[in-house]
PDB file of all heavy atoms in Angstrom:
ATOM      1  N   MET A   1      63.719  40.025  -1.191  1.00  0.00           N
ATOM      2  CA  MET A   1      65.032  39.586  -1.644  1.00  0.00           C
ATOM      3  C   MET A   1      66.076  39.700  -0.539  1.00  0.00           C
ATOM      4  O   MET A   1      67.038  38.923  -0.503  1.00  0.00           O
ATOM      5  CB  MET A   1      65.455  40.387  -2.875  1.00  0.00           C
ATOM      6  CG  MET A   1      64.616  40.080  -4.114  1.00  0.00           C
ATOM      7  SD  MET A   1      64.548  38.300  -4.508  1.00  0.00           S
ATOM      8  CE  MET A   1      66.258  37.976  -4.922  1.00  0.00           C
ATOM      9  N   ARG A   2      65.929  40.665   0.383  1.00  0.00           N
ATOM     10  CA  ARG A   2      66.857  40.750   1.513  1.00  0.00           C
ATOM     11  C   ARG A   2      66.691  39.504   2.406  1.00  0.00           C
ATOM     12  O   ARG A   2      67.673  38.893   2.835  1.00  0.00           O
ATOM     13  CB  ARG A   2      66.591  42.011   2.312  1.00  0.00           C
ATOM     14  CG  ARG A   2      67.315  42.087   3.658  1.00  0.00           C
ATOM     15  CD  ARG A   2      68.842  41.978   3.532  1.00  0.00           C
ATOM     16  NE  ARG A   2      69.457  41.894   4.844  1.00  0.00           N
ATOM     17  CZ  ARG A   2      69.816  42.952   5.571  1.00  0.00           C
ATOM     18  NH1 ARG A   2      69.611  44.174   5.119  1.00  0.00           N
ATOM     19  NH2 ARG A   2      70.388  42.793   6.752  1.00  0.00           N
ATOM     20  N   ILE A   3      65.430  39.135   2.672  1.00  0.00           N
ATOM     21  CA  ILE A   3      65.179  37.925   3.465  1.00  0.00           C
ATOM     22  C   ILE A   3      65.742  36.705   2.741  1.00  0.00           C
ATOM     23  O   ILE A   3      66.369  35.834   3.354  1.00  0.00           O
ATOM     24  CB  ILE A   3      63.666  37.759   3.710  1.00  0.00           C
ATOM     25  CG1 ILE A   3      63.140  38.889   4.599  1.00  0.00           C
ATOM     26  CG2 ILE A   3      63.367  36.403   4.339  1.00  0.00           C
ATOM     27  CD1 ILE A   3      61.635  38.920   4.725  1.00  0.00           C
ATOM     28  N   THR A   4      65.543  36.663   1.423  1.00  0.00           N
ATOM     29  CA  THR A   4      66.035  35.543   0.626  1.00  0.00           C
ATOM     30  C   THR A   4      67.542  35.390   0.755  1.00  0.00           C
ATOM     31  O   THR A   4      68.062  34.290   0.973  1.00  0.00           O
ATOM     32  CB  THR A   4      65.648  35.744  -0.850  1.00  0.00           C
ATOM     33  OG1 THR A   4      64.225  35.727  -0.970  1.00  0.00           O
ATOM     34  CG2 THR A   4      66.229  34.646  -1.729  1.00  0.00           C
ATOM     35  N   ARG A   5      68.280  36.506   0.627  1.00  0.00           N
ATOM     36  CA  ARG A   5      69.730  36.420   0.722  1.00  0.00           C
ATOM     37  C   ARG A   5      70.179  35.969   2.116  1.00  0.00           C
ATOM     38  O   ARG A   5      71.089  35.148   2.263  1.00  0.00           O
ATOM     39  CB  ARG A   5      70.378  37.769   0.394  1.00  0.00           C
ATOM     40  CG  ARG A   5      71.892  37.652   0.224  1.00  0.00           C
ATOM     41  CD  ARG A   5      72.554  38.980   0.072  1.00  0.00           C
ATOM     42  NE  ARG A   5      72.449  39.772   1.306  1.00  0.00           N
ATOM     43  CZ  ARG A   5      73.030  40.953   1.478  1.00  0.00           C
ATOM     44  NH1 ARG A   5      73.727  41.487   0.486  1.00  0.00           N
ATOM     45  NH2 ARG A   5      72.892  41.621   2.601  1.00  0.00           N
ATOM     46  N   ASP A   6      69.510  36.482   3.168  1.00  0.00           N
ATOM     47  CA  ASP A   6      69.857  36.075   4.530  1.00  0.00           C
ATOM     48  C   ASP A   6      69.631  34.578   4.725  1.00  0.00           C
ATOM     49  O   ASP A   6      70.430  33.889   5.370  1.00  0.00           O
ATOM     50  CB  ASP A   6      69.027  36.864   5.548  1.00  0.00           C
ATOM     51  CG  ASP A   6      69.439  38.326   5.631  1.00  0.00           C
ATOM     52  OD1 ASP A   6      70.508  38.667   5.078  1.00  0.00           O
ATOM     53  OD2 ASP A   6      68.691  39.115   6.241  1.00  0.00           O
ATOM     54  N   MET A   7      68.526  34.072   4.198  1.00  0.00           N
ATOM     55  CA  MET A   7      68.224  32.645   4.347  1.00  0.00           C
ATOM     56  C   MET A   7      69.201  31.777   3.544  1.00  0.00           C
ATOM     57  O   MET A   7      69.579  30.687   3.976  1.00  0.00           O
ATOM     58  CB  MET A   7      66.788  32.351   3.893  1.00  0.00           C
ATOM     59  CG  MET A   7      65.703  32.979   4.766  1.00  0.00           C
ATOM     60  SD  MET A   7      65.719  32.392   6.480  1.00  0.00           S
ATOM     61  CE  MET A   7      66.511  33.796   7.275  1.00  0.00           C
ATOM     62  N   ILE A   8      69.624  32.263   2.371  1.00  0.00           N
ATOM     63  CA  ILE A   8      70.594  31.503   1.573  1.00  0.00           C
ATOM     64  C   ILE A   8      71.934  31.450   2.291  1.00  0.00           C
ATOM     65  O   ILE A   8      72.627  30.424   2.287  1.00  0.00           O
ATOM     66  CB  ILE A   8      70.722  32.118   0.170  1.00  0.00           C
ATOM     67  CG1 ILE A   8      69.430  31.871  -0.616  1.00  0.00           C
ATOM     68  CG2 ILE A   8      71.909  31.522  -0.580  1.00  0.00           C
ATOM     69  CD1 ILE A   8      69.353  32.606  -1.914  1.00  0.00           C
ATOM     70  N   ASP A   9      72.315  32.551   2.945  1.00  0.00           N
ATOM     71  CA  ASP A   9      73.530  32.536   3.763  1.00  0.00           C
ATOM     72  C   ASP A   9      73.407  31.487   4.863  1.00  0.00           C
ATOM     73  O   ASP A   9      74.365  30.781   5.178  1.00  0.00           O
ATOM     74  CB  ASP A   9      73.760  33.915   4.386  1.00  0.00           C
ATOM     75  CG  ASP A   9      74.228  34.945   3.365  1.00  0.00           C
ATOM     76  OD1 ASP A   9      74.638  34.537   2.258  1.00  0.00           O
ATOM     77  OD2 ASP A   9      74.161  36.153   3.665  1.00  0.00           O
ATOM     78  N   ARG A  10      72.224  31.401   5.464  1.00  0.00           N
ATOM     79  CA  ARG A  10      71.989  30.428   6.529  1.00  0.00           C
ATOM     80  C   ARG A  10      72.103  28.998   6.006  1.00  0.00           C
ATOM     81  O   ARG A  10      72.568  28.102   6.712  1.00  0.00           O
ATOM     82  CB  ARG A  10      70.597  30.681   7.117  1.00  0.00           C
ATOM     83  CG  ARG A  10      70.284  29.911   8.378  1.00  0.00           C
ATOM     84  CD  ARG A  10      69.109  30.571   9.070  1.00  0.00           C
ATOM     85  NE  ARG A  10      67.998  29.663   9.279  1.00  0.00           N
ATOM     86  CZ  ARG A  10      66.851  30.010   9.849  1.00  0.00           C
ATOM     87  NH1 ARG A  10      66.669  31.246  10.257  1.00  0.00           N
ATOM     88  NH2 ARG A  10      65.884  29.136  10.014  1.00  0.00           N
ATOM     89  N   LEU A  11      71.706  28.787   4.754  1.00  0.00           N
ATOM     90  CA  LEU A  11      71.775  27.461   4.143  1.00  0.00           C
ATOM     91  C   LEU A  11      73.171  27.128   3.626  1.00  0.00           C
ATOM     92  O   LEU A  11      73.447  25.976   3.285  1.00  0.00           O
ATOM     93  CB  LEU A  11      70.780  27.377   2.972  1.00  0.00           C
ATOM     94  CG  LEU A  11      69.294  27.321   3.339  1.00  0.00           C
ATOM     95  CD1 LEU A  11      68.443  27.620   2.108  1.00  0.00           C
ATOM     96  CD2 LEU A  11      68.928  25.976   3.927  1.00  0.00           C
ATOM     97  N   GLY A  12      74.037  28.134   3.531  1.00  0.00           N
ATOM     98  CA  GLY A  12      75.373  27.902   2.998  1.00  0.00           C
ATOM     99  C   GLY A  12      75.403  27.848   1.487  1.00  0.00           C
ATOM    100  O   GLY A  12      76.270  27.178   0.900  1.00  0.00           O
ATOM    101  N   GLY A  13      74.475  28.564   0.831  1.00  0.00           N
ATOM    102  CA  GLY A  13      74.400  28.536  -0.625  1.00  0.00           C
ATOM    103  C   GLY A  13      74.682  29.879  -1.263  1.00  0.00           C
ATOM    104  O   GLY A  13      75.123  30.829  -0.608  1.00  0.00           O
ATOM    105  N   LEU A  14      74.420  29.958  -2.566  1.00  0.00           N
ATOM    106  CA  LEU A  14      74.643  31.180  -3.343  1.00  0.00           C
ATOM    107  C   LEU A  14      73.395  31.486  -4.166  1.00  0.00           C
ATOM    108  O   LEU A  14      72.604  30.592  -4.486  1.00  0.00           O
ATOM    109  CB  LEU A  14      75.838  31.011  -4.283  1.00  0.00           C
ATOM    110  CG  LEU A  14      77.213  30.779  -3.624  1.00  0.00           C
ATOM    111  CD1 LEU A  14      78.242  30.435  -4.693  1.00  0.00           C
ATOM    112  CD2 LEU A  14      77.642  32.010  -2.839  1.00  0.00           C
ATOM    113  N   ILE A  15      73.208  32.772  -4.514  1.00  0.00           N
ATOM    114  CA  ILE A  15      72.082  33.187  -5.328  1.00  0.00           C
ATOM    115  C   ILE A  15      72.592  33.975  -6.520  1.00  0.00           C
ATOM    116  O   ILE A  15      73.541  34.755  -6.406  1.00  0.00           O
ATOM    117  CB  ILE A  15      71.079  34.039  -4.516  1.00  0.00           C
ATOM    118  CG1 ILE A  15      69.887  34.459  -5.394  1.00  0.00           C
ATOM    119  CG2 ILE A  15      71.760  35.251  -3.894  1.00  0.00           C
ATOM    120  CD1 ILE A  15      68.765  35.120  -4.619  1.00  0.00           C
ATOM    121  N   ASP A  16      71.990  33.747  -7.668  1.00  0.00           N
ATOM    122  CA  ASP A  16      72.303  34.503  -8.880  1.00  0.00           C
ATOM    123  C   ASP A  16      70.999  35.024  -9.464  1.00  0.00           C
ATOM    124  O   ASP A  16      70.065  34.237  -9.697  1.00  0.00           O
ATOM    125  CB  ASP A  16      73.018  33.621  -9.910  1.00  0.00           C
ATOM    126  CG  ASP A  16      73.282  34.360 -11.208  1.00  0.00           C
ATOM    127  OD1 ASP A  16      74.121  35.286 -11.197  1.00  0.00           O
ATOM    128  OD2 ASP A  16      72.636  34.033 -12.216  1.00  0.00           O
ATOM    129  N   VAL A  17      70.914  36.348  -9.664  1.00  0.00           N
ATOM    130  CA  VAL A  17      69.712  36.987 -10.203  1.00  0.00           C
ATOM    131  C   VAL A  17      70.085  37.667 -11.513  1.00  0.00           C
ATOM    132  O   VAL A  17      71.049  38.441 -11.570  1.00  0.00           O
ATOM    133  CB  VAL A  17      69.141  38.032  -9.221  1.00  0.00           C
ATOM    134  CG1 VAL A  17      67.873  38.654  -9.792  1.00  0.00           C
ATOM    135  CG2 VAL A  17      68.868  37.402  -7.866  1.00  0.00           C
ATOM    136  N   CYS A  18      69.330  37.386 -12.563  1.00  0.00           N
ATOM    137  CA  CYS A  18      69.618  38.003 -13.856  1.00  0.00           C
ATOM    138  C   CYS A  18      68.344  38.060 -14.687  1.00  0.00           C
ATOM    139  O   CYS A  18      67.298  37.541 -14.289  1.00  0.00           O
ATOM    140  CB  CYS A  18      70.701  37.216 -14.600  1.00  0.00           C
ATOM    141  SG  CYS A  18      70.211  35.529 -15.028  1.00  0.00           S
ATOM    142  N   ASN A  19      68.440  38.692 -15.818  1.00  0.00           N
ATOM    143  CA  ASN A  19      67.340  38.706 -16.773  1.00  0.00           C
ATOM    144  C   ASN A  19      67.553  37.602 -17.800  1.00  0.00           C
ATOM    145  O   ASN A  19      68.688  37.326 -18.215  1.00  0.00           O
ATOM    146  CB  ASN A  19      67.263  40.059 -17.473  1.00  0.00           C
ATOM    147  CG  ASN A  19      66.804  41.157 -16.538  1.00  0.00           C
ATOM    148  OD1 ASN A  19      65.899  40.957 -15.737  1.00  0.00           O
ATOM    149  ND2 ASN A  19      67.439  42.317 -16.624  1.00  0.00           N
ATOM    150  N   SER A  20      66.477  36.967 -18.216  1.00  0.00           N
ATOM    151  CA  SER A  20      66.566  35.928 -19.234  1.00  0.00           C
ATOM    152  C   SER A  20      66.892  36.561 -20.581  1.00  0.00           C
ATOM    153  O   SER A  20      66.555  37.732 -20.824  1.00  0.00           O
ATOM    154  CB  SER A  20      65.249  35.160 -19.314  1.00  0.00           C
ATOM    155  OG  SER A  20      64.973  34.514 -18.076  1.00  0.00           O
ATOM    156  N   PRO A  21      67.518  35.811 -21.494  1.00  0.00           N
ATOM    157  CA  PRO A  21      67.881  36.374 -22.800  1.00  0.00           C
ATOM    158  C   PRO A  21      66.687  36.941 -23.569  1.00  0.00           C
ATOM    159  O   PRO A  21      66.796  37.972 -24.226  1.00  0.00           O
ATOM    160  CB  PRO A  21      68.485  35.170 -23.531  1.00  0.00           C
ATOM    161  CG  PRO A  21      68.980  34.277 -22.445  1.00  0.00           C
ATOM    162  CD  PRO A  21      68.019  34.446 -21.304  1.00  0.00           C
ATOM    163  N   GLY A  22      65.544  36.265 -23.477  1.00  0.00           N
ATOM    164  CA  GLY A  22      64.366  36.758 -24.179  1.00  0.00           C
ATOM    165  C   GLY A  22      63.632  37.808 -23.366  1.00  0.00           C
ATOM    166  O   GLY A  22      63.730  39.013 -23.595  1.00  0.00           O
ATOM    167  N   ALA A  23      62.901  37.354 -22.374  1.00  0.00           N
ATOM    168  CA  ALA A  23      62.153  38.252 -21.488  1.00  0.00           C
ATOM    169  C   ALA A  23      61.983  37.556 -20.150  1.00  0.00           C
ATOM    170  O   ALA A  23      62.019  36.332 -20.059  1.00  0.00           O
ATOM    171  CB  ALA A  23      60.789  38.597 -22.101  1.00  0.00           C
ATOM    172  N   GLY A  24      61.784  38.365 -19.116  1.00  0.00           N
ATOM    173  CA  GLY A  24      61.555  37.805 -17.803  1.00  0.00           C
ATOM    174  C   GLY A  24      62.815  37.718 -16.972  1.00  0.00           C
ATOM    175  O   GLY A  24      63.922  38.046 -17.426  1.00  0.00           O
TER     176      GLY A  24
END
């Protein structure tokens, strides 16, 4: 996830991580 955030910064985007209402 650290690599993921660094790469998203490189792409100029945003990331949102959450739990689904049911499961997962």
Side-chain angles (χ1 to χ4, degrees):
M1 292 307 295
R2 169 58 187 272
I3 294 172
T4 296
R5 191 187 66 175
D6 289 348
M7 294 298 102
I8 290 171
D9 287 345
R10 190 162 123 181
L11 288 165
L14 297 172
I15 181 171
D16 177 69
V17 181
C18 64
N19 290 319
S20 298

